[in-house]
Amino acid sequence: MKVQGFQNAASRQKSLRLGCRGRFPCQYRAYFSGSIPRRVPDFRQQTVAAADVANLGEGWRVAAIQVPGLLSFTIAILVFFVGATLNHLFPILTRWSIPEAVTGGMLAAAVTLLAYTLFDIEISFALQARDLLLLYFFTGIGLNARLTDLAAGGRPFLILLVITVAFLIIQNLTAIGTSAALGLPRGIDILLGSISLIGGHGTTIAWAPIVSSRFGVTNAMEVGIASATLGLVIASLIGGPIAQRLIARYHLSGAANEELTIGVSHKSAREHDDEVSAVSLLRTLFVTNIAILTGYALEEVIEETGFKLPLFVVCLLVAIVMTNVVPLAAPRLPWPTRSRALSLISDLSLNVFLSMSLMSMQLWALSGLGLSLILVLGAQTCVTVIYILFVVFPAMGRNYDAAVISAGFGGIALGATPTAIANMTAVTKVHGASSMAFIILPLVSAFFIDLINAAVLGYLVQ
């Protein structure tokens, strides 16, 4: 573990006079206008031993602890168990379909925030394992996708795509309108729309330099990342309660005899603890690894054509092809589709991925953005909830699949595709499977909507 300190007492006093703490200043109007300098340039970074943290002295501004990969992975597992314990102690969390990883991850993020606020210790985690877990659970979704599911999802897929595109436009209009009402500088409105919310952190990182250059927003990256982070938090919390309300109001439920796409139901987990064997797990891991390795190779071929696809989307498509071709070509070959082993591997990957994503959030980055960010994202949240209740759910058929998709839509509208899948998984563990939701929503959110978002953003930054 490395502990890094930022030295320069004069710079610290200057920051305090400006009323700022850490990377983001407290005076949000000056921050949005770009008049307050960023913290990094005047500081000299130095690496010290972990045992020397207590002897840093008055000249040190903040100590930065970097948690290595295996320890980060282990902490993520612990964070999940803490969340599972809290969900058990407070049944309302399970009843409202708040994922265990969200409960534990938010608590862990709060702990790192306290460490930063009270002790000037900035904790960051190595996240290489998280990226691999992303591939595992998207590949698992693909391995569960039969042609019959894809055919059944044809019309719902097109409907979901259309209403998602419409919402993307509404989201940007909401950002532009609320930003104008608050008197925020031009360019900030774009950063608080689909760049950071539907687009997430990846889109923000790609587009922030363009917004900064076009509109002169010197802190574009920080504003976008902070918006994406807060959006991820909100997305993790609203999807389950929305679905729960719809399910209760319309008396909906999933198919009782169908295996879940990801994970096993809470009831099934209690009744069948020991049905997965080492052989079935290894067989499933082998098939999953083959699909991921093929995805890596195919991504390189696709990149050479000049067309860019996220790696997890390539793995998802490869897995869909494999699961619909291999069993036909070799019917006697054991295949993991709809198996408990595949559900458990996908569930494990998703939970640890989400735990790592949430526990690594640097919530102190939000503290300096003031009331404006809260008001804009508050408006975005209200618009999202209203749109789900009065557009998404009715358009998708007012049935159980529509309720599960509604939970996922809350994830993609304000957070990211993994958040959407976590929301849907939490719902299906309680109320039953929804195969169609896990097929059509990732294709819309992880592939098509990114292309459309890029076209819309290109128009907005002109």
Side-chain angles (χ1 to χ4, degrees), residues 21 230 423 457:
R21 177 176 183 81
L230 186 55
N423 289 347
L457 294 177

Side-chain angles (χ1 to χ4, degrees), residues 88-150:
H88 177 73
L89 293 176
F90 302 97
I92 188 173
L93 296 173
T94 299
R95 189 162 59 250
W96 287 99
S97 301
I98 304 298
E100 296 93 336
V102 170
T103 305
M106 291 302 302
L107 180 61
V111 170
T112 61
L113 175 62
L114 287 175
Y116 183 86
T117 304
L118 299 179
F119 306 107
D120 283 336
I121 298 175
E122 180 176 315
I123 301 174
S124 60
F125 300 92
L127 300 176
Q128 294 89 340
R130 184 192 67 172
D131 299 333
L132 181 60
L133 292 170
L134 180 72
L135 301 182
Y136 267 97
F137 81 74
F138 271 109
T139 303
I141 291 173
L143 290 175
N144 266 326
R146 294 170 174 154
L147 282 175
T148 52
D149 297 328
L150 297 174

Side-chain angles (χ1 to χ4, degrees), residues 88-232:
H88 177 73
L89 293 176
F90 302 97
I92 188 173
L93 296 173
T94 299
R95 189 162 59 250
W96 287 99
S97 301
I98 304 298
E100 296 93 336
V102 170
T103 305
M106 291 302 302
L107 180 61
V111 170
T112 61
L113 175 62
L114 287 175
Y116 183 86
T117 304
L118 299 179
F119 306 107
D120 283 336
I121 298 175
E122 180 176 315
I123 301 174
S124 60
F125 300 92
L127 300 176
Q128 294 89 340
R130 184 192 67 172
D131 299 333
L132 181 60
L133 292 170
L134 180 72
L135 301 182
Y136 267 97
F137 81 74
F138 271 109
T139 303
I141 291 173
L143 290 175
N144 266 326
R146 294 170 174 154
L147 282 175
T148 52
D149 297 328
L150 297 174
R155 184 171 179 272
F157 168 78
L158 293 176
I159 294 174
L160 182 60
L161 179 60
V162 170
I163 61 179
T164 304
V165 171
F167 179 77
L168 186 151
I169 297 171
I170 292 171
Q171 188 172 79
N172 284 306
L173 292 176
T174 301
I176 292 171
T178 52
S179 297
L182 294 170
L184 299 181
R186 187 76 176 95
I188 295 294
D189 50 2
I190 300 175
L191 293 166
L192 301 181
S194 64
I195 280 184
S196 59
L197 298 179
I198 282 182
H201 289 82
T203 303
T204 299
I205 292 170
W207 282 88
I210 300 173
V211 174
S212 178
S213 174
R214 172 66 179 82
F215 298 101
V217 181
T218 58
N219 297 306
M221 184 69 73
E222 289 86 345
V223 174
I225 291 297
S227 176
T229 300
L230 186 55
L232 186 67

Side-chain angles (χ1 to χ4, degrees), residues 14-22 24-27 36-37 61:
K14 180 179 179 182
S15 294
L16 292 175
R17 287 197 300 271
L18 287 170
C20 63
R21 177 176 183 81
F24 295 92
C26 299
Q27 300 173 349
I36 291 181
R61 184 169 189 274

Side-chain angles (χ1 to χ4, degrees), residues 332-349:
R332 294 190 177 184
L333 183 70
W335 197 253
T337 300
R338 297 292 192 275
S339 68
R340 189 174 296 272
L342 181 58
S343 295
L344 288 175
I345 290 172
S346 299
D347 199 21
L348 180 154
S349 302

Side-chain angles (χ1 to χ4, degrees), residues 105-106 109 112 229 232-233 356-364:
M106 291 302 302
T112 61
T229 300
L232 186 67
V233 173
M356 296 187 78
S357 296
L358 293 177
M359 77 184 195
S360 63
M361 290 191 305
Q362 297 181 329
L363 294 179
W364 55 86

